[in-house]
Amino acid sequence: MAFIVVDKDKCTSCGECINVCPASVYEFDDDEKSEPVNPEECIECCSCVEVCPVGAIKVDVCE
Ligand code: SF4
Ligand code: SF4
């Protein structure tokens, strides 16, 4: 399983990671920051890392 971390101080709530993820890993939390709620579903495509405009997402296999 990939290890996924979102830096919520960087996240601008754009929603791009939620839109791009083919495995529905992300949802907005109560503060409308992206939260990896289903990390076990990750297929390690690295699209979220590439699409985030502020570099807020780290996925260990995408380093
Ligand atoms: S690496 Fe791909 S499957 Fe995994 S969380 Fe990011 S967009 Fe979703
Ligand atoms: S793509 Fe980046 S800035 Fe946009 S919601 Fe996801 S983590 Fe936040």
Side-chain angles (χ1 to χ4, degrees):
M1 188 176 91
F3 184 67
I4 303 169
V5 175
V6 177
D7 185 336
K8 294 189 180 183
D9 290 331
K10 287 185 180 175
C11 177
T12 59
S13 308
C14 72
E16 289 298 322
C17 56
I18 295 171
N19 291 336
V20 78
C21 179
S24 301
V25 167
Y26 298 101
E27 290 180 7
F28 280 137
D29 67 12
D30 291 341
D31 297 321
E32 293 209 350
K33 302 292 186 177
S34 181
E35 173 81 25
V37 292
N38 299 308
E40 69 279 2
E41 300 293 332
C42 176
I43 61 167
E44 304 177 358
C45 70
C46 302
S47 297
C48 55
V49 176
E50 292 165 9
V51 79
C52 180
V54 293
I57 300 176
K58 299 290 185 200
V59 178
D60 60 349
V61 295
C62 301
E63 297 291 320

